Amino acid sequence: MTHVAVIEVSGDGAPGAGPCLMWRFGQLAWRTRYAPAAPERAQGVAMRLQDGAVVLAEREAICSTYADARDRAEAAAQQVTPWASAITAAVEADRLDRHADRVGREAGQSELWHAMHERWNDNGALEQAQTYLQAIQHVATDDESATHPTATALAPVVQARLRQTADVCRRQALAAAPDLTAHPAPGAAWSVPAPYTPPQYIGAADEDQEELPTLLTVQLLRAWALDKPAVNRDSLIRWAERSGVAKSDIHRLTGVARTTIDRILKP
């Protein structure tokens, strides 16, 4: 089992290689829909689950003392330690999926601007089309870019590679998951920050955070659907249902018949 180091954020506290939980005690601030311009404030602990310098998930908790903050960080590290390797792989799979989706959006925009250029001979539209192509080339290999010079041709190739790599990460997450009957998913207080958007991407950035247990459950179900190992099916479906995933979503993600899911979940 991978150990999660607990490191206080300070002048000499820095993440090393591997999983770690970074924490700090101080003022927390958050906005509410009732007063978005005036954030609420309270003393508390802010925590980040990281793999080296890569932030995997974040959470905050209100507490009044330094000792309480330290104890909460230690308890959180114990909770996520059995899941550390699976979380790292699942978050990476989600990041790759989002990049693949963004490549598809960039290709659509490039095609649209090319059509505008061809219709009105607008050089500005051609420049926009090239900008979107360059955004795709940023995540393409040199060979892919050389072989597929247009966004329409390049995007499917890049997307296929990203999704194939995401599938590898999903399989790694499922293989690294602990005994599902003994270890519940990390609590919903953990959220996964939106993936970093390189400056070369000129489309809308992914800003939505996702609850860590939701992301983890979805990625494990998708991983099972790739190879359908019978040994993991029933325990995984029961665990997903306990984690709050609807039966309809389990069916959609795995392809398991609804009647079979009902039978597995029958008390």
Side-chain angles (χ1 to χ4, degrees):
M1 182 183 299
T2 302
H3 175 67
V4 175
V6 180
I7 304 174
E8 182 181 2
V9 176
S10 61
D12 56 355
C20 62
L21 188 143
M22 307 291 293
W23 69 278
R24 68 169 180 83
F25 174 64
Q27 280 284 320
L28 304 179
W30 64 95
R31 300 184 185 277
T32 68
R33 61 177 179 172
Y34 304 106
E40 300 281 343
R41 297 183 183 277
Q43 287 282 96
V45 58
M47 294 172 273
R48 294 196 311 267
L49 178 63
Q50 299 184 195
D51 183 19
V54 178
V55 178
L56 303 173
E58 304 170 324
R59 68 173 293 183
E60 294 180 342
I62 296 174
C63 54
S64 57
T65 67
Y66 174 87
D68 190 12
R70 182 191 58 221
D71 291 345
R72 286 173 181 260
E74 293 282 356
Q78 290 181 7
Q79 180 197 45
V80 300
T81 286
W83 287 98
S85 296
I87 289 171
T88 299
V91 170
E92 178 65 7
D94 179 72
R95 184 189 70 84
L96 290 165
D97 284 336
R98 294 198 189 207
H99 279 322
D101 291 342
R102 189 182 292 115
V103 165
R105 295 195 297 269
E106 305 294 355
Q109 289 293 320
S110 180
E111 187 175 353
L112 176 64
W113 285 106
H114 260 299
M116 293 175 63
H117 166 67
E118 292 175 357
R119 182 171 182 177
W120 292 298
N121 195 26
D122 184 345
N123 288 332
L126 181 60
E127 291 177 1
Q128 285 289 338
Q130 288 298 115
T131 301
Y132 281 105
L133 171 60
Q134 290 167 5
I136 300 172
Q137 290 172 336
H138 176 71
V139 292
T141 65
D142 290 341
D143 287 344
E144 288 170 345
S145 296
T147 308
H148 305 86
T150 67
T152 304
L154 179 60
V157 176
V158 175
Q159 286 181 298
R161 174 174 53 80
L162 292 174
R163 296 198 191 283
Q164 185 177 29
T165 307
D167 285 343
V168 172
C169 293
R170 274 185 273 276
R171 288 187 174 97
Q172 291 173 345
L174 184 59
D179 181 356
L180 300 179
T181 61
H183 298 283
W190 286 104
S191 62
V192 179
Y196 168 68
T197 302
Q200 289 80 1
Y201 283 114
I202 57 178
D206 292 320
E207 297 179 352
D208 293 339
Q209 291 190 330
E210 187 171 5
E211 291 182 354
L212 177 60
T214 300
L215 181 149
L216 186 59
T217 306
V218 166
Q219 294 300 335
L220 294 187
L221 289 171
R222 292 182 64 184
W224 181 89
L226 292 171
D227 304 311
K228 294 182 169 54
V231 66
N232 290 333
R233 187 193 66 179
D234 292 8
S235 59
L236 179 61
I237 288 176
R238 292 191 190 99
W239 174 81
E241 195 268 342
R242 290 196 304 270
S243 299
V245 180
K247 289 190 287 186
S248 59
D249 288 331
I250 296 175
H251 165 70
R252 175 178 57 84
L253 291 166
T254 63
V256 175
R258 294 175 188 248
T259 53
T260 303
I261 294 173
D262 288 337
R263 178 181 58 77
I264 292 170
L265 297 178
K266 186 176 181 179

